[in-house]
C-alpha cells in the first residue's frame, strides 16, 4: 500500500498557497527506518514491529515532516518525527512505567503502541503494533499521556472497550485524514481539540472515523 499521493500533493499545494506551513526533510535512510524498528526500549519486555508499507512510502519522501496551520490566532500542528524523536516520544509520552493501575491488581500497559507523530502538548499519534493487518499495516490511535489507550497487562484486553475499534485503519488513512483536515476551508471541529486529552473521548465516540460528522 502506497501513501496517498493526492494527500501529500494537497499539502504541498496548500503550503504553496500560504494556507499552511510544510517543512519536510529529505528521505529516510535505510538506517533511519531500521532504527525505528529496533531502538524502542519499553520499561518491561520488548516491542517487535516492522515499519508498515504506507508509512515506509512516506519515509521515502521525508524522514521528518512538520505541518502547521494558523487561523484566527489558533495554531494546529502535527509532526511526523524522525527516528530519534520517535524513540524519545514513545518512551516519554506513550509507554507507561511498570506498576500503573486504576484498580488494585489490574495493571496497565501501553507497550503495544509506537508513537510516530506529535499531536501537540502531550498527545501522540500511535500505531498499535499488536494488530497487524494482512497487508502489513497497523491501526492508528490518538493517545494522550493523561488519557492513555491502555491494555490490561495480564490478558491484553483493552482497558476501555471502545478502543477495540481503532481511530484509523492504517497510516495511509490517517495521513489522508490529516491532509483533508489541514487543507480544508472549514477544518473539522475536532482539529481544535488536537493536543488535548478530550480528543481521546471524541475518538472513542467515532468522530475521527466519521470525519467529524458525528
Amino acid at each position: 500500500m502506497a501513501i496517498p499521493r493526492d494527500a501529500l500533493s494537497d499539502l504541498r499545494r496548500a503550503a504553496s498557497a500560504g494556507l499552511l506551513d510544510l517543512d519536510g526533510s529529505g528521505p529516510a535512510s535505510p538506517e533511519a527506518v531500521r532504527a525505528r524498528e529496533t531502538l524502542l526500549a519499553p520499561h518491561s519486555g520488548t516491542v517487535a514491529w516492522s515499519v508498515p508499507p504506507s508509512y515506509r512510502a512516506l519515509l521515502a519522501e521525508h524522514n521528518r515532516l512538520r505541518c502547521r496551520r494558523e487561523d484566527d490566532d489558533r495554531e494546529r500542528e502535527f509532526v511526523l518525527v524522525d527516528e530519534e524523536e520517535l524513540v524519545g516520544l514513545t518512551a516519554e509520552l506513550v509507554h507507561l512505567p511498570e506498576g500503573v493501575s486504576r484498580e488494585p491488581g489490574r495493571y496497565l500497559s501501553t507497550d503495544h503502541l509506537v508513537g510516530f507523530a506529535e499531536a501537540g502538548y502531550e498527545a501522540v499519534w500511535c500505531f498499535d503494533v499488536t494488530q497487524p493487518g494482512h497487508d502489513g499495516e497497523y491501526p492508528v490511535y490518538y493517545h494522550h499521556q493523561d488519557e492513555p489507550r491502555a491494555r490490561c497487562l495480564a490478558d491484553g484486553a483493552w482497558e476501555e472497550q471502545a478502543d477495540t475499534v481503532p481511530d484509523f485503519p492504517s497510516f495511509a488513512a490517517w495521513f489522508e485524514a490529516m491532509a483533508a483536515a489541514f487543507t480544508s476551508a472549514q477544518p473539522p471541529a475536532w482539529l481544535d481539540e488536537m493536543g488535548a486529552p478530550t480528543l481521546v473521548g471524541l475518538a472513542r465516540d467515532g468522530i475521527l472515523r466519521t470525519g467529524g460528522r458525528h
Side-chain angles (χ1 to χ4, degrees), residues 43-158:
H43 299 282
S44 61
T46 58
V47 176
W49 78 298
S50 298
V51 167
S54 60
Y55 180 41
R56 187 180 296 271
L58 184 282
L59 294 176
E61 300 275 348
H62 301 291
N63 190 43
R64 187 179 195 271
L65 184 68
R66 176 176 177 264
C67 179
R68 185 180 68 86
R69 175 170 172 168
E70 189 171 349
D71 295 304
D72 301 323
D73 297 324
R74 178 170 292 167
E75 183 178 298
R76 310 168 177 100
E77 179 180 78
F78 72 86
V79 183
L80 281 157
V81 295
D82 65 23
E83 68 279 14
E84 292 183 2
E85 292 170 316
L86 182 147
V87 173
L89 191 69
T90 302
E92 294 166 15
L93 295 180
V94 178
H95 287 165
L96 294 172
E98 292 183 86
V100 173
S101 66
R102 298 189 200 270
E103 301 175 16
R106 191 173 185 230
Y107 297 106
L108 302 175
S109 172
T110 49
D111 288 358
H112 54 287
L113 298 177
V114 172
F116 63 86
E118 294 179 352
Y121 305 102
E122 297 174 329
V124 186
W125 295 104
C126 300
F127 297 117
D128 180 354
V129 299
T130 63
Q131 297 191 75
H134 67 277
D135 55 0
E137 296 290 331
Y138 299 108
V140 171
Y141 288 81
Y142 175 84
H143 164 93
H144 194 282
Q145 191 176 46
D146 293 341
E147 288 289 343
R149 312 299 283 270
R151 291 177 181 266
C152 297
L153 187 60
D155 58 10
W158 286 103

Side-chain angles (χ1 to χ4, degrees), residues 8-52:
L8 188 54
S9 296
D10 287 348
L11 288 173
R12 289 170 174 166
R13 280 194 294 269
S16 295
L19 179 64
L20 54 83
D21 294 326
L22 193 66
D23 182 19
S25 72
S29 67
E31 292 75 20
V33 176
R34 184 64 179 159
R36 288 170 164 84
E37 298 174 326
T38 59
L39 297 183
L40 294 168
H43 299 282
S44 61
T46 58
V47 176
W49 78 298
S50 298
V51 167

Side-chain angles (χ1 to χ4, degrees), residues 163-187:
D163 290 339
T164 58
V165 181
D167 302 335
F168 298 101
S170 66
F171 176 84
W174 171 83
F175 189 74
E176 196 167 50
M178 291 301 104
F182 274 79
T183 60
S184 175
Q186 294 184 314

